[in-house]
Amino acid sequence: MRKQIRRAILHVLRGAGVFRMLRDSEWRRQRLLILCYHGISLEDEHDWRPGLYMAPTVFEQRLELLRNGEYNVLSLDEGLKRLYAGQLPPRSVSITFDDGQYDFYKQAYPRLKNYGFPVTVYQTTYYSDHQLPVFNLICSYLLWKRKGAVLNSGAEFGLEPQLDLRTEASRQAIVTALMEVSHKQSLSVDQKNQLACRLAEMLGVDYPVLMRKRILHLMSAGEIRELSRDGVDFQLHTHRHTMPRDQVLFRREIKDNRACLESVSRPGAVHFCYPSGVYGEQFLPWLKAEGVISATTCDVGLATSRKDSLLLPRFIDTSGRNGLDFESWLTGVGELLAIRRKSRHKFVSPGD
Ligand SMILES: [Zn+2]
């Protein structure tokens, strides 16, 4: 209901010319909208996780809106330099992708290239070295494929006998239990993949086909190298997609991530994105010590020069947003209307 009211208001505002007015205002010119995407579906991933995946046709519509609205799509590096120098052109936007999955290579990049838009990929690298589906994600995806079922095969996986696949929460509980089992048994990445394969067999899902399509795989080193040569900007997202609270471990994540990236893309990654949007004051000096000059969160908003460059907001574009919502954020109307609810992402206090 709230969504419908909001959309009705947006319709009225757009009809009254407020979108256009704000888009071309000095207020908007002083702001950079950093767009955040995760995945563009290879198959039906947007039905499984609409908050993370988008159908290719919807992504294409977004790019069309950027072109039709004559937005200045800047590389992240240029956008941030110009933001802090007070030299942004009107209607500035930067595009970022988190994680660097294979679907970026297959679905997103060809479309971005078509439109001539620069893009930054925050690449996590552990699963890039291991060309296998990301374990927790593929388990969740497999269970979703049989949603609605209640099975009695848990024991063969070291779980409670009953596997309830009827709700997202009950499926997520099974994923968590599977992760605990794999952790307890110190399974290697290959052994975890065998476990996922057995799970697929039990669920009647064709795992080899998912592997061939590279569902939930990250880009390989060769693919990153190819796109880097073509101008894609690869930046930091930690090696193992994690935020250790210990300084040595945290900095190792940055060092390992950077070393992997430097072996396959242009050296000198200095931009960072907090995995899963988890950020905290304690990380800021550690990031600075590693030479990181900007860091983006999953908090929603337009970036201004008053904002700490290590705590930059973005607009998380998902399948749950329609074109009108998206346009409202491009123009700045969305920012003005946003009810600042407490961030859903954890702000980690030093004592945590
Ligand atoms: Zn991520």
Side-chain angles (χ1 to χ4, degrees):
M1 190 62 185
R2 209 164 110 174
K3 208 180 216 176
Q4 281 166 344
I5 293 170
R6 187 185 145 83
R7 283 182 182 161
I9 293 169
L10 291 178
H11 263 297
V12 171
L13 292 176
R14 188 169 61 175
V18 175
F19 274 40
R20 192 177 291 260
M21 198 182 72
L22 204 59
R23 185 193 66 182
D24 297 330
S25 67
E26 183 57 19
W27 178 88
R28 175 66 180 87
R29 199 195 58 77
Q30 292 170 5
R31 284 161 172 78
L32 175 68
L33 180 68
I34 306 171
L35 295 172
C36 162
Y37 293 93
H38 282 91
I40 308 301
S41 299
L42 293 168
E43 295 272 310
D44 53 0
E45 299 95 307
H46 56 282
D47 292 328
W48 162 61
R49 287 272 169 96
L52 285 181
Y53 288 86
M54 182 175 274
T57 47
V58 177
F59 184 57
E60 192 102 33
Q61 287 160 13
R62 305 299 207 236
L63 300 179
E64 196 65 28
L65 283 168
L66 282 166
R67 184 163 69 187
N68 291 346
E70 297 177 357
Y71 287 90
N72 280 300
V73 182
L74 308 172
S75 71
L76 180 72
D77 192 66
E78 186 188 354
L80 292 175
K81 277 184 184 139
R82 294 179 72 153
L83 171 70
Y84 286 102
Q87 291 170 353
L88 281 174
R91 312 174 196 176
S92 295
V93 175
S94 292
I95 303 174
T96 65
F97 269 76
D98 290 10
D99 305 334
Q101 300 204 57
Y102 171 68
D103 58 70
F104 176 83
Y105 178 88
K106 177 86 177 165
Q107 302 283 45
Y109 183 60
R111 291 175 166 85
L112 287 159
K113 190 174 177 175
N114 221 0
Y115 281 80
F117 293 152
V119 61
T120 289
V121 176
Y122 292 117
Q123 182 76 44
T124 185
T125 34
Y126 179 79
Y127 269 97
S128 180
D129 289 346
H130 300 91
Q131 272 301 305
L132 295 168
V134 179
F135 178 66
N136 59 324
L137 296 181
I138 196 71
C139 288
S140 169
Y141 181 71
L142 291 170
L143 295 169
W144 171 80
K145 284 278 194 191
R146 286 293 308 277
K147 60 183 180 295
V150 180
L151 307 170
N152 274 306
S153 326
E156 56 186 278
F157 298 93
L159 309 176
E160 294 291 320
Q162 193 185 71
L163 300 177
D164 181 353
L165 311 186
R166 287 176 297 183
T167 67
E168 172 61 31
S170 62
R171 292 192 295 271
Q172 190 51 47
I174 298 168
V175 174
T176 304
L178 283 167
M179 286 172 72
E180 277 165 15
V181 165
S182 72
H183 185 71
K184 236 180 253 168
Q185 297 177 358
S186 305
L187 298 187
S188 67
V189 70
D190 285 314
Q191 288 169 323
K192 283 200 268 189
N193 191 51
Q194 285 159 17
L195 178 60
C197 183
R198 280 204 292 125
L199 182 70
E201 275 168 21
M202 185 274 285
L203 294 167
V205 180
D206 194 337
Y207 201 66
V209 165
L210 297 184
M211 291 280 283
R212 268 202 302 280
K213 289 180 177 164
R214 304 212 14 230
I215 300 270
L216 302 174
H217 284 57
L218 294 188
M219 281 186 270
S220 68
E223 285 152 358
I224 296 171
R225 192 178 288 117
E226 181 190 330
L227 295 195
S228 175
R229 285 193 186 131
D230 214 34
V232 175
D233 174 40
F234 286 92
Q235 297 291 339
L236 305 163
H237 198 41
T238 74
H239 185 52
R240 295 165 193 82
H241 206 270
T242 184
M243 293 287 286
R245 316 282 170 87
D246 174 271
Q247 180 175 184
V248 173
L249 295 180
F250 178 87
R251 291 180 64 176
R252 196 180 76 183
E253 282 298 323
I254 306 288
K255 287 183 212 294
D256 290 352
N257 193 203
R258 189 179 265 143
C260 278
L261 285 179
E262 286 190 351
S263 67
V264 289
S265 66
R266 275 166 296 169
V270 289
H271 300 290
F272 175 76
C273 169
Y274 297 94
S276 311
V278 176
Y279 62 86
E281 291 285 349
Q282 83 226 54
F283 301 122
L284 307 190
W286 305 346
L287 287 169
K288 278 183 197 151
E290 287 301 324
V292 169
I293 61 169
S294 90
T296 50
T297 68
C298 291
D299 289 354
V300 180
L302 277 84
T304 70
S305 58
R306 290 187 304 281
K307 195 77 192 161
D308 189 324
S309 66
L310 296 180
L311 293 170
L312 291 167
R314 294 185 290 175
F315 174 72
I316 320 298
D317 194 12
T318 70
S319 301
R321 308 269 191 183
N322 68 8
L324 185 65
D325 277 335
F326 180 70
E327 223 186 325
S328 78
W329 279 92
L330 291 182
T331 56
V333 171
E335 168 92 343
L336 290 184
L337 289 183
I339 300 165
R340 291 315 181 102
R341 277 171 296 178
K342 200 167 178 273
S343 169
R344 259 178 269 160
H345 298 284
K346 282 170 266 171
F347 193 94
V348 186
S349 74
D352 272 358

